[in-house]
Amino acid sequence: MHQNKNKHHQPVLLNEVLSVLNPQAGESYLDLTAGYGGHAKEILKLTNAASNMTLVDRDANAQKVLQEEFGSEVERLHLTYEEAAKQLIAEGKLYDMLLADIGVSSPHLNNASRGFSIQADGPLDMRMDNRQSLTAAIIANTYTKEQLMKLLREYGEEPKAARIAEAIIDNRPVETTSQLAKIVAACWPGRNKTHPATRTFQALRIEVNDELGMLKRSLPLWAQLVRPGGRLAVISFHSLEDRIVKQFLSEISGNRYDATFQLLTKKPLTASNDELVFNPRARSAKLRAAVKK
């Protein structure tokens, strides 16, 4: 049954991840966004050390699949990647390899009931962890025009932020994904290459899940969890995340006397044409990595 799930969620940039993490027999691995275990499964084949593996995911569905895929030998944490990092630091853990793939997994995007999808109608939700209370509907229906504009500009890089904010307020209550998609599309008449609501959905998703705030707070924690000689790799899916990762890695790396890491990627690694054929989602993926001195 779960084979199908894994078909839906191809691990992104798998060859590139394996090349920068360079897994060796017996090494320890921390996957902070394990999803359905695509990267972890390939790394386990090379390390053959399930008891040295920690898989983190904030999503209950992912946790079920990980339990069935990996059994009890692998440590699993049902936490956000920030909470997990704090807990593991407190436990004094160190890893040879650390991976964070900070995109939203395809099953989330494809499952209408989770409210991430522009194409499929569902409740306006967008929570990665449905234990939290803030949803996209709450934002769409309670934020002021100024708050919505700021959100759309900063997190969606949306040129028509003011017009869309006004349209959302005029059409309240906004309760479903298709209702929101239609409201935004009306602000962008004519033909568009991508759905005109893509940037708005991205902005709401980032806000609901505090994605950029959590990433900024987590990167320094992740660096602490890597042992000397250990490799840290981060995959991001849009320019806002990539900028944060790039800045952080360049701050801790380089030739300065206080640099603790050395970059493994001068430029981000991106998907090969071969991968794009079967995994179009990888088009925007960027991988950056560094090794601890």
Side-chain angles (χ1 to χ4, degrees):
M1 163 180 135
H2 291 305
Q3 287 318 307
N4 303 345
K5 275 199 168 143
N6 285 332
K7 267 186 207 136
H8 292 317
H9 184 56
Q10 303 280 358
V12 171
L13 300 178
L14 179 61
N15 294 335
E16 291 75 8
V17 165
L18 294 175
S19 87
V20 294
L21 289 182
N22 189 19
Q24 304 297 313
E27 284 193 322
S28 54
Y29 172 62
L30 169 60
D31 193 325
L32 285 150
T33 47
Y36 292 155
H39 291 109
K41 210 182 300 173
E42 297 306 314
I43 284 170
L44 184 55
K45 285 178 190 167
L46 296 164
T47 63
N48 210 6
S51 58
N52 291 342
M53 202 170 233
T54 302
L55 305 182
V56 177
D57 208 282
R58 72 201 296 188
D59 181 71
N61 291 343
Q63 284 294 337
K64 274 193 209 115
V65 177
L66 292 171
Q67 165 67 42
E68 285 164 30
E69 287 287 357
F70 294 91
S72 57
E73 209 184 340
V74 166
E75 178 182 27
R76 282 182 304 107
L77 301 176
H78 186 187
L79 298 167
T80 68
Y81 58 56
E82 182 183 13
E83 293 162 343
K86 286 177 179 165
Q87 180 179 314
L88 293 166
I89 287 169
E91 291 170 7
K93 293 274 182 73
L94 288 172
Y95 294 88
D96 296 303
M97 298 171 284
L98 183 156
L99 174 67
D101 167 357
I102 48 188
V104 183
S105 75
S106 322
H108 283 161
L109 296 173
N110 301 339
N111 178 348
S113 70
R114 299 297 292 270
F116 290 96
S117 174
I118 296 175
Q119 267 73 36
D121 192 28
L124 198 54
D125 189 325
M126 302 198 193
R127 289 173 298 173
M128 297 210 203
D129 183 346
N130 37 29
R131 297 173 296 182
Q132 73 171 44
S133 51
L134 183 66
T135 65
I138 291 173
I139 293 168
N141 292 305
T142 64
Y143 276 29
T144 63
K145 183 183 169 188
E146 283 64 36
Q147 286 174 309
L148 285 172
M149 274 166 49
K150 183 171 190 277
L151 187 68
L152 293 168
R153 279 201 190 110
E154 286 182 14
Y155 294 169
E157 301 179 291
E158 171 54 73
K160 295 196 180 183
R163 189 186 296 187
I164 291 168
E166 228 160 74
I168 289 171
I169 289 169
D170 290 346
N171 285 281
R172 283 176 173 168
V174 185
E175 281 155 359
T176 67
T177 51
S178 62
Q179 190 188 351
L180 178 62
K182 282 193 190 103
I183 291 166
V184 179
C187 300
W188 280 97
R191 294 183 59 133
N192 295 281
K193 206 163 65 170
T194 53
H195 193 292
T198 304
R199 289 181 295 269
T200 296
F201 272 62
Q202 173 181 299
L204 286 173
R205 195 197 78 218
I206 288 173
E207 176 80 352
V208 167
N209 299 293
D210 184 26
E211 289 175 34
L212 300 183
M214 201 190 297
L215 178 60
K216 280 178 184 156
R217 295 188 301 270
S218 298
L219 281 159
L221 303 175
W222 300 347
Q224 286 180 55
L225 284 163
V226 180
R227 64 163 49 103
R231 288 81 67 199
L232 163 70
V234 184
I235 300 172
S236 59
F237 283 83
H238 54 74
S239 56
L240 299 167
E241 290 172 339
D242 182 54
R243 206 172 299 148
I244 292 168
V245 175
K246 178 185 179 180
Q247 210 171 342
F248 176 75
L249 290 182
S250 65
E251 274 164 22
I252 60 170
S253 304
N255 301 322
R256 297 194 323 277
Y257 72 95
D258 58 344
T260 48
F261 278 76
Q262 192 176 347
L263 288 179
L264 291 170
T265 49
K266 290 278 181 278
K267 287 197 175 121
L269 302 181
T270 54
S272 66
N273 291 334
D274 290 354
E275 177 171 6
L276 292 175
V277 170
F278 66 83
N279 197 1
R281 186 180 156 266
R283 187 173 304 287
S284 54
K286 290 187 167 142
L287 170 67
R288 292 183 185 272
V291 57
K292 197 166 207 170
K293 292 182 173 178

